[in-house]
Structure formats: structure tokens, C-alpha cells
Amino acid sequence: MRRLGRLVRPIGRLGRLGRGRGRGARAWTLPVRPVGFGAALFLGASLFLSASPIAQAAPAAPQATAPSQAAARLEALRAELRAAKGQVGFASLLEARAGAAQPADAAAILSEFAPLVADPAASKALMLRGASLCLLLGRLPEAAALYEGAAFRPGLPRDEALLLKAARLRLAAGEAERAAEIAGIVQGGTKVEELLREARLVSAWALLSGAQDRAAALAAEVAKGAPAGSAARREARFLAWAAANESGRPEAARLLASEYPGSPEARIAVGQAPGAAGASPPKGQ
């Protein structure tokens, strides 16, 4: 995964530079495109909870430390919710307790109890809220798991867009195999061309660390079939550059820069492509 990791770091800086435009805007929002999922690694907005030990009333009787109090607080929340599980108003109680809890506690109880809410729509909404919190806290695998669960709520249509968000997060977390599995599910279950392109891009990124030739070929196919000027085509051109060998990188960079001049992806490619003026290949390649 070292090659993918080196790409994620520079890509992370791109999210701030993207332009929003309809569904294509997800090129710049977390988890929908690598340029966007890089922006996640991204959310320098991680929330840190800090606490200090409580002053001791007497030297011989030390009080509980803040970490143990936090654990007790979370366990009390869990106990209350376990007792209320299955009762009328459980979803409202969970929503209220999550709203009043510390972010880490809210993420924990939503991850555990939102899937247990009987009403599918309410369960999905609470799972999405939990996914957002996990994302802000930097818990990418947990956020991905919640997106996956929300995509498969009983009684609701399968949500391929959420599956693709989960797949992007799996990529960001270094779980390329799982990302490829999710992309395969989407490709086997949708006829929406935009979602198919998205899933094929995820598959290509997942191949990057171990099958660069296949990744480059798949990226080239996506670029060929994507509308000119689209976010999917831009990403595919960038991925084709990322997967190219040293001899192929200058041409891949040229294509990217000619179609998307001045874009963050083109600036990365032109600046790092072998043979570019003042450029050198990334270390280790």
C-alpha cells in the first residue's frame, strides 16, 4: 500500500481546491472520490477529548481518574439504551442521548444501537449521523461500516451511492480488498452509468498497489467512456498517470494537463512526472 499511501498524501490537499457541481462535486467531498477522500484524511477537524485527573480529597483515598469516569459514563448510556431497546420511542431516545453526549460517546452509541432501531428510515438516518461523527473523529473503518449498513436497511432500496462512499473510505483506510468487494457489489447491481463509472474507478484505485498495469488500463477505459470535462474523466486521467510506469508518465501528465489545465490533479502530475521541467519521480518508484 506504500504507493497508494504516497498518492493519498498529496491528494489530500486537493479537496480544498475543488469546484462543486452537482453529483460531480463529489470529486471534492469525502468519501466520494480519491481526490475527495484525500481531503478526508482530511478533516484536520478531528475532535480530541481531553481530561485531567480529579483532585484527591485525601491522600489515602484517590479519586477515579477522568478516563475511568468517561468509561463509566459511556457504559451508563449503553445500559439505558439496552434496557429501552425494542420499546416505543427507542429511536427518539437514542437521538436525544447522542445529541447530548460527547462526540466520541455519541459515535459509539450510534454505531452500536442505530442498526437496532426498528424503523428502517429512522435507523438509516441515525446510522448516517453516526458515520459523520466517526468520520470527524478519524475513525474511517467505523464510518465505512455504518455507510455500508445504512445502504442495506431492510425494507428500503439498496443505496449504491452510500456503498461507494463506504468503498472510498475503505480505500482511505488502506483496506483495498474490501473496497474492491464493495465496488463489485455496485457493479453487479446497478445499471446507472454514473454509478458504474464510480465503482470502476474504485476498483482501479484498489488495484494500484499490486496490479498497476490493470489499474492503468481500467482508468483508461473509464476516461474514454466518461463525458468530456466530467469529474469522473478527470479522476480517471489522474489515476492513469498515477498507475503509469516511468516511461508512460509524461504522456499521461500531458493528457491530464491538456484536458484539465490548471486543475490540482494536473499540477500534481506535471510537477511530479518524470521528464517534466524541474520534476523528479516520487521516491521509491
Side-chain angles (χ1 to χ4, degrees):
M1 297 304 297
R2 288 180 295 177
R3 184 182 181 90
L4 184 57
R6 287 194 299 274
L7 288 166
V8 168
R9 288 193 291 273
I11 293 168
R13 296 192 288 274
L14 302 179
R16 298 188 295 274
L17 303 175
R19 301 185 294 271
R21 46 183 195 206
R23 184 175 176 82
R26 282 193 278 196
W28 308 106
T29 56
L30 188 68
V32 181
R33 297 195 181 280
V35 173
F37 81 61
L41 289 172
F42 335 11
L43 293 180
S46 295
L47 304 176
F48 295 94
L49 301 178
S50 59
S52 57
I54 298 177
Q56 297 180 359
Q63 300 295 314
T65 62
S68 64
Q69 286 188 331
R73 181 182 64 232
L74 177 57
E75 185 51 41
L77 278 172
R78 283 179 165 143
E80 179 185 14
L81 291 166
R82 281 194 292 266
K85 184 177 63 176
Q87 297 180 9
V88 175
F90 176 63
S92 297
L93 177 65
L94 175 57
E95 183 177 14
R97 294 297 180 264
Q102 294 291 329
D105 289 351
I109 61 174
L110 287 169
S111 295
E112 182 175 351
F113 293 102
L116 305 180
V117 171
D119 179 70
S123 177
K124 181 176 182 177
L126 289 167
M127 291 179 79
L128 293 178
R129 182 175 174 182
S132 296
L133 275 173
C134 288
L135 188 57
L136 287 169
L137 292 164
R139 301 175 181 177
L140 302 189
E142 292 176 49
L146 284 166
Y147 278 128
E148 290 173 37
F152 286 108
R153 286 298 83 197
L156 297 179
R158 189 172 72 185
D159 195 328
E160 273 89 3
L162 288 183
L163 285 176
L164 289 169
K165 283 189 175 186
R168 294 285 186 174
L169 285 175
R170 295 294 185 186
L171 283 175
E175 300 176 8
E177 290 186 8
R178 179 57 184 159
E181 290 176 4
I182 298 171
I185 292 172
V186 174
Q187 291 180 74
T190 185
K191 295 181 179 180
V192 179
E193 190 60 33
E194 188 175 359
L195 293 175
L196 286 171
R197 276 196 297 269
E198 179 89 13
R200 294 176 77 199
L201 282 168
V202 170
S203 296
W205 281 108
L207 289 168
L208 188 61
S209 62
Q212 292 169 218
D213 290 345
R214 290 171 59 197
L218 184 52
E221 289 178 12
V222 174
K224 183 177 179 180
S230 66
R233 187 179 177 100
R234 181 179 65 226
E235 181 182 349
R237 288 293 190 206
F238 181 67
L239 177 50
W241 168 81
N245 56 32
E246 289 192 11
S247 63
R249 276 200 163 191
E251 176 61 14
R254 186 194 67 77
L255 285 172
L256 178 57
S258 66
E259 292 189 32
Y260 300 93
S263 68
E265 297 95 332
R267 288 200 293 270
I268 288 177
V270 172
Q272 295 184 0
S280 59
K283 295 180 180 179
Q285 295 186 27

